[in-house]
Amino acid sequence: MDIISHGLYGWAVFGNKNRKEFWLSIGFWILPDFLTFGLPFAINIITMLSGGSGSIFGQAGHHNIDAKYIDAIYNITHSLIIRGIVFWALWRIYKKPMKASFARLLHILIDIPTHSLAFFATPFLWPIFNYKFDGIPRSNKIIFIPNIIVLIILYSIYMYKKFHKTKKTK
Ligand SMILES: [Zn+2]
């Protein structure tokens, strides 16, 4: 799934929580893609500005983004196994499960069926298994249209709840 839809899903699901939890959830939700695409993008811009030969979109490659470390970051940020370990570690540290980190779990679960082998299939079992599900990309209308419908439904529920909340407080 694309980063904008991820952000919108994060907003809709966690939008009526308290401010801190809300921003934490949005952060957890877009973090996997931000680290994978945003960080290399920023590094490329800096390299180009400082006279280096960084190219934002790379030359060839199966996903047209030319850097080995992007695959490494993608594996780490999109693995359910790594997410489970981090979740468990945070639970141990804070003595309670971190609710906001469920946003990252949902991100990975949405990505599995919406990425094909041709473009960043989700390495959800990494590093134990290399299996990746050959999903249907978001650009395909089978995903694109239901994605918009689901977002409209989620936002209708969100607005309805918000409207009723402000009515109650009046
Ligand atoms: Zn993702």
Side-chain angles (χ1 to χ4, degrees):
M1 194 58 76
D2 62 292
I3 196 158
I4 295 167
S5 293
H6 274 309
L8 289 172
Y9 277 116
W11 196 299
V13 176
F14 296 97
N16 44 10
K17 299 283 182 299
N18 68 56
R19 199 166 279 239
K20 190 186 153 210
E21 207 165 281
F22 168 67
W23 284 112
L24 215 57
S25 303
I26 298 288
F28 268 106
W29 199 298
I30 61 171
L31 188 74
D33 284 352
F34 180 76
L35 288 176
T36 309
F37 307 110
L39 209 64
F41 189 79
I43 292 169
N44 265 324
I45 299 253
I46 293 165
T47 314
M48 279 167 77
L49 288 176
S50 58
S53 60
S55 74
I56 294 164
F57 297 107
Q59 277 97 43
H62 64 290
H63 43 54
N64 220 26
I65 296 174
D66 185 30
K68 269 273 164 281
Y69 63 93
I70 292 179
D71 283 332
I73 300 171
Y74 197 68
N75 285 340
I76 294 165
T77 54
H78 285 75
S79 159
L80 287 177
I81 293 163
I82 302 292
R83 188 262 161 198
I85 294 168
V86 172
F87 179 69
W88 175 80
L90 289 174
W91 193 338
R92 294 293 303 248
I93 294 166
Y94 294 106
K95 307 278 184 252
K96 60 178 181 188
M98 199 174 192
K99 267 196 268 167
S101 81
F102 281 102
R104 190 167 156 221
L105 175 67
L106 286 174
H107 176 128
I108 299 169
L109 292 177
I110 288 175
D111 271 356
I112 294 170
T114 58
H115 279 262
S116 70
L117 290 177
F119 189 82
F120 285 101
T122 313
F124 63 105
L125 297 173
W126 186 88
I128 297 175
F129 301 104
N130 224 0
Y131 171 78
K132 288 169 188 168
F133 181 74
D134 191 13
I136 304 163
R138 189 202 71 117
S139 51
N140 189 310
K141 63 177 189 289
I142 298 173
I143 296 290
F144 189 81
I145 295 165
N147 180 38
I148 289 175
I149 292 170
V150 170
L151 280 171
I152 290 170
I153 292 169
L154 278 175
Y155 273 85
S156 304
I157 296 169
Y158 172 66
M159 294 310 282
Y160 177 82
K161 275 186 177 173
K162 209 175 161 104
F163 178 71
H164 273 256
K165 223 173 159 184
T166 44
K167 238 172 101 182
K168 257 186 225 163
T169 51
K170 269 181 188 169

